[in-house]
Amino acid sequence: MKPSLLDFTLKELQENIKPSFRAKQIYGWLYHQYVQNFDEMKNIPKQLRDELAEKYLLNPLKIIKKEESIDGTIKYLLELQDGKTVEAVWLKMKETLTDEAGEVTQEAKYTICVSTQVGCKVGCAFCLTAKGGFTRDLTAGEIVGQVVALKRDNEHKHNRMINIVYMGMGEPLDNLDNLARAIEIFKEEEGLCISGKRQTVSTSGLSNKIDRLGEMDLGVHIAISLHAVDDELRTELIPMNKAHNISSIIEAVKRFPIDTRKRVMFEYLVIKNKNDDIGSAKKLVKLLSGIKAKVNLIYFNPYPGTEYQRPDKADMIAFQEYLVNHGLLCTIRDSKGIDISAACGQLKEKTGSELK
Ligand code: SAH
Ligand code: SF4
């Protein structure tokens, strides 16, 4: 498989492409114009365009299916060079607002949820992605390509801000090297210029990798998929909790370099009669004391064949109230795109007949 131009930082392209000033121009074509073939790179001499086309791919993935929700969420199915597929989701976070004169006072804000692997090794009991097992890591270019493809498809100009959440298929920290490379490429000023602050890595809690990500000092946020307050339940839900238990995760979070104005997000998937009781809320408060934390409660989204159930709204609210009354910031995640199965944990690889 040829490498993609989206696999490289600007510095690397400058080293590989001669004369090196061409690299900046190429970056503009890739990340400002979202070109789909080399001949669109008008100010690049034909000979160089041909050389590039021989050596590299442009975007290594293509959109093969698109489902739009009534709330504006769009779920994309993307095909990779080897025919495998991943999903990425375009989420509308804020509406466009206008004043009486029709002037735009607030532009709509979007977040892109990207995948980092085809499948996942972690095997969480509640997650649909896990059901298909693990196929392979995505390359940096395949991670970057999701954002380029979705921005292009939505005609979202390069200089309009976008947030990235690594919450699609896969465990990002299990593909740390490619993840870190993608984060750096997103940050490139000549490219998409998406700062670390706008990128959130969600992890099921590989504590040693949380430390490594911290040492890389990329300026990204982390979100911890905690889901349980005692190791017994957490191991049932997330088998690798055996090797990376709750206290090892909490310790790693305490060491993680966090922007002083920000908080670490703890995701807590609420499952009926499993972890939705006030006793769990109480333990959660204790567990997070001393951490600048924010808790995001997520309704379990059921799917055919799962033994777990969606919690009652009243229990969810009581849980939230308990946390808030005890000094924790806590939100309940509104499930976007629920009508198109784009909600959390509903992303999975599609094969054969499912595509028709
Ligand atoms: N592997 C990473 C990131 C991808 S999963 C992680 O686990 O953090 C993104 C989020 O979706 C996680 O918080 C995960 O717990 C949640 N999720 C998985 N299955 C779900 C389901 N059936 N309903 C609701 N959320 C789910
Ligand atoms: Fe993997 Fe995250 Fe799904 Fe667990 S919840 S199986 S870590 S994608």
Side-chain angles (χ1 to χ4, degrees):
M1 216 162 66
K2 280 189 208 174
S4 155
L5 282 178
L6 305 185
D7 279 315
F8 303 101
T9 60
L10 179 59
K11 192 158 164 269
E12 288 168 336
L13 280 193
Q14 284 167 333
E15 281 159 8
N16 289 333
I17 295 171
K18 296 290 163 229
S20 64
F21 75 91
R22 295 285 181 205
K24 254 190 198 175
Q25 294 175 326
I26 292 168
Y27 240 61
W29 289 112
L30 297 174
Y31 297 109
H32 297 179
Q33 310 298 332
Y34 316 134
V35 293
Q36 287 191 308
N37 65 65
F38 287 91
D39 288 333
E40 286 175 61
M41 298 183 176
K42 294 278 182 269
N43 59 357
I44 306 294
K46 174 90 173 98
Q47 195 194 339
L48 180 54
R49 288 198 312 250
D50 291 345
E51 272 173 39
L52 290 173
E54 203 154 291
K55 275 190 141 147
Y56 303 100
L57 298 167
L58 282 171
N59 197 331
L61 30 81
K62 66 171 195 280
I63 296 172
I64 55 170
K65 198 172 161 200
K66 198 174 149 179
E67 283 172 88
E68 199 158 348
S69 158
I70 38 167
D71 64 18
T73 302
I74 310 174
K75 182 168 79 166
Y76 289 88
L77 187 67
L78 301 146
E79 188 179 44
L80 311 170
Q81 293 299 304
D82 57 2
K84 304 270 181 277
T85 56
V86 289
E87 293 183 329
V89 187
W90 176 261
L91 297 145
K92 189 178 204 172
M93 309 309 281
K94 280 192 182 148
E95 297 291 332
T96 302
L97 298 180
T98 48
D99 61 16
E100 302 88 68
E103 294 285 327
V104 175
T105 53
Q106 173 191 286
E107 290 239 49
K109 292 209 166 63
Y110 299 93
T111 292
I112 299 179
C113 173
V114 300
S115 293
T116 52
Q117 297 177 318
V118 182
C120 186
K121 280 182 213 160
V122 180
C124 298
F126 51 81
C127 175
L128 202 51
T129 300
K131 302 281 175 257
F134 174 76
T135 304
R136 71 168 174 90
D137 285 332
L138 295 190
T139 61
E142 287 166 341
I143 298 172
V144 172
Q146 295 171 55
V147 173
V148 173
L150 268 58
K151 273 181 75 98
R152 179 189 159 89
D153 193 61
N154 288 283
E155 296 176 19
H156 196 258
K157 290 217 172 65
H158 75 90
N159 54 1
R160 278 196 60 195
M161 277 306 146
I162 193 105
N163 293 314
I164 297 175
V165 293
Y166 297 91
M167 293 186 185
M169 296 161 59
E171 166 50 51
L173 297 189
D174 190 33
N175 185 14
L176 185 54
D177 292 339
N178 292 335
L179 171 79
R181 175 175 275 274
I183 291 169
E184 293 282 20
I185 296 169
F186 285 133
K187 283 164 69 176
E188 289 285 3
E189 282 181 23
E190 303 288 335
L192 291 174
C193 200
I194 304 168
S195 68
K197 281 195 297 220
R198 293 190 170 276
Q199 304 187 47
T200 303
V201 176
S202 176
T203 176
S204 54
L206 304 169
S207 42
N208 56 335
K209 299 286 183 67
I210 296 174
D211 280 333
R212 266 196 62 205
L213 180 70
E215 284 156 16
M216 290 176 172
D217 212 16
L218 298 164
V220 290
H221 289 309
I222 45 166
I224 307 292
S225 290
L226 192 63
H227 309 331
V229 288
D230 55 70
D231 282 315
E232 197 188 331
L233 177 61
R234 196 165 192 275
T235 303
E236 175 193 323
L237 298 175
I238 311 173
M240 63 101 196
N241 187 67
K242 269 211 182 92
H244 304 272
N245 65 10
I246 297 178
S247 69
S248 77
I249 297 170
I250 298 289
E251 289 311 309
V253 167
K254 287 183 177 162
R255 290 188 290 266
F256 194 85
I258 294 154
D259 185 324
T260 47
R261 287 156 301 179
K262 292 286 181 176
R263 290 167 186 277
V264 180
M265 162 105 87
F266 286 85
E267 290 162 297
Y268 189 91
L269 180 68
V270 187
I271 305 173
K272 189 176 170 133
N273 296 337
K274 278 277 175 193
N275 61 1
D276 58 350
D277 56 295
I278 294 299
S280 297
K282 208 169 179 175
K283 283 193 193 157
L284 187 56
V285 170
K286 216 164 140 203
L287 202 57
L288 300 184
S289 73
I291 298 180
K292 267 185 90 180
K294 181 181 158 188
V295 176
N296 196 10
L297 300 178
I298 310 168
Y299 279 98
F300 172 68
N301 284 320
Y303 48 85
T306 178
E307 57 175 298
Y308 300 121
Q309 291 169 15
R310 190 179 168 88
D312 294 334
K313 196 172 175 191
D315 291 332
M316 195 76 164
I317 291 172
F319 199 103
Q320 181 190 32
E321 273 177 2
Y322 185 90
L323 297 188
V324 171
N325 291 339
H326 289 80
L328 268 175
L329 271 185
C330 175
T331 49
I332 297 179
R333 186 186 292 174
D334 61 336
S335 277
K336 291 183 186 295
I338 204 157
D339 53 331
I340 54 166
S341 295
C344 299
Q346 299 192 322
L347 305 183
K348 69 183 196 75
E349 208 202 346
K350 298 277 186 312
T351 45
S353 58
E354 287 177 288
L355 287 174
K356 289 179 199 121

